[in-house]
Amino acid sequence: MSAIILSGKEASAALLEELKPKVQALDPKLVVVQVGEDPASASYIKQKFKCCEKVGIRSEHKHLSEETSYEDLMKVVEDLNNDDDVTGFIVQLPLPKHLTDKEPEINRAIDPKKDVDGFGAYNLGKMFLSKDFEDLPPATPSGIISLLEYYNIPVEGKHAVIVGRSNIVGKPLAVMLINRSATVTVCNSKTKNLAEITRQADILICAVGKAHFITKDMVKEGAVVIDVGVNRTDDGLKGDVDFDAIAEIASAITPVPGGVGPMTVTSLIRNCVRAKERQS
Ligand code: NAP
């Protein structure tokens, strides 16, 4: 194996250490709203609270029943918006089926000052202006940028190819990379000749949600490969990237688990600190 392993665990530990004095001074509070019993959500929420504990942020878990109505959830959102003790809050996705269609309305109802997931239109829209307006960026793209910075991987002038165009990963990441002067190509399920495009990437980011979707023949020698995918298989957690084969030719690669995941949680915590700074 020749690739450097981009350890999100290591980078996030360093970032959390940097945040500690600010947390002590500002005393922010994060609330996570969970509706229902999605098992993956339960594990993500556990990681978030573990991270809060590590850095000393106050946190609260508002766990609502699977049957919670749209009106009741909106009331919880409104109460959190109006609670001065709450710095930021997130509504953990995915929501139960009867609420999925209401996701845009729920995101819109969150006060932009408290939108620490950065999924609301106000915070997303501001990012389009420039890097200086990325106040509360979505956690996963922001974590990827921080990971690249931590390992001193330059972005300017590079061709970044993103596979996946979701509103929480692919699209906002494209904007953040453009803000840093990368040349960005974003692919989706209708993209023709995908491998031809991915082979042009200096930095290849995959956020598709299919285990081992990116194979060695789709990667240019020396590329930096960022694997966002988290796929639960019979063999455990797998990324979207065929790690073992691609690590032989990439210059740097993220593992799954231990790559983008910890950076996402850390970025959420950083957003909570930033939100408190801005509110103060
Ligand atoms: P998503 O909303 O399901 O989006 C998947 C994207 O992949 C879509 O844009 C889809 O294209 C594209 N796609 C599907 N098949 C494709 C194909 N054959 N060729 C090219 N593109 C294809 O997923 P997401 O929320 O972005 O998450 C993606 C993965 O990242 C999941 O495994 C998720 O669990 C993981 N994730 C991890 C973290 C973390 O912190 N580690 C955070 C968020 C997400 P269309 O738009 O055309 O359908």
Side-chain angles (χ1 to χ4, degrees):
M1 176 165 42
S2 62
I4 296 167
I5 305 301
L6 305 175
S7 168
K9 268 192 194 167
E10 185 188 314
S12 70
L15 282 173
L16 287 176
E17 212 46 53
E18 269 177 36
L19 285 174
K20 269 185 185 170
K22 282 190 178 177
V23 170
Q24 268 177 6
L26 295 162
D27 191 28
K29 177 177 174 182
L30 173 71
V31 176
V32 177
V33 180
Q34 180 185 8
V35 188
E37 303 297 335
D38 178 67
S41 292
S43 134
Y44 292 139
I45 291 170
K46 206 168 140 193
Q47 286 165 28
K48 285 166 188 169
F49 287 136
K50 214 168 136 190
C51 203
C52 282
E53 209 175 301
K54 252 190 223 163
V55 78
I57 285 194
R58 290 181 296 135
S59 59
E60 185 185 329
H61 188 184
K62 269 200 187 302
H63 196 168
L64 312 177
S65 82
E66 185 88 27
E67 291 75 37
T68 303
S69 67
Y70 168 66
E71 290 71 24
D72 285 349
L73 179 55
M74 289 297 261
K75 176 77 178 76
V76 170
V77 168
E78 193 191 327
D79 288 347
L80 290 169
N81 282 340
N82 294 328
D83 185 341
D84 289 341
D85 191 41
V86 174
T87 309
F89 64 98
I90 68 167
V91 177
Q92 183 70 41
L93 302 178
L95 289 166
K97 277 208 173 67
H98 67 284
L99 293 170
T100 312
D101 286 352
K102 300 285 187 192
E103 227 177 83
E105 281 93 330
I106 294 160
N107 275 336
R108 208 159 45 225
I110 298 174
D111 182 340
K113 294 196 291 295
K114 297 191 175 190
D115 171 25
V116 286
D117 246 346
F119 293 163
Y122 178 81
N123 287 309
L124 283 175
K126 264 173 78 178
M127 289 173 51
F128 275 73
L129 298 173
S130 81
K131 195 174 146 196
D132 297 338
F133 290 87
E134 293 170 359
D135 294 323
L136 296 178
T140 302
S142 167
I144 292 170
I145 297 290
S146 297
L147 189 63
L148 293 170
E149 284 171 359
Y150 181 80
Y151 283 96
N152 293 315
I153 293 172
V155 163
E156 189 177 299
K158 302 291 178 190
H159 184 188
V161 175
I162 305 170
V163 189
R165 58 169 164 184
S166 71
N167 290 339
I168 62 168
V169 186
K171 281 186 209 165
L173 178 61
V175 172
M176 293 184 87
L177 288 167
I178 291 168
N179 286 346
R180 286 157 183 80
S181 302
T183 303
V184 181
T185 304
V186 185
C187 305
N188 60 66
S189 64
K190 310 290 185 293
T191 298
K192 304 257 189 300
N193 304 322
L194 182 67
E196 230 170 74
I197 298 170
T198 57
R199 273 197 297 271
Q200 293 170 30
D202 301 312
I203 302 173
L204 176 62
I205 301 114
C206 191
V208 165
K210 294 180 184 165
H212 289 187
F213 179 78
I214 299 287
T215 48
K216 191 176 175 180
D217 58 306
M218 296 169 82
V219 179
K220 177 169 80 174
E221 194 152 355
V224 173
V225 180
I226 307 290
D227 191 350
V228 184
V230 179
N231 305 291
R232 285 156 218 278
T233 73
D234 293 342
D235 295 332
L237 276 194
K238 299 281 174 209
D240 285 352
V241 165
D242 183 357
F243 180 91
D244 291 338
I246 292 172
E248 288 171 11
I249 56 161
S251 61
I253 188 166
T254 57
V256 176
V260 173
M263 296 306 291
T264 296
V265 182
T266 299
S267 300
L268 172 73
I269 302 293
R270 180 172 54 193
N271 275 355
C272 196
V273 174
R274 279 189 189 154
K276 185 74 184 193
E277 277 176 329
R278 297 180 70 77
Q279 290 161 21
S280 310

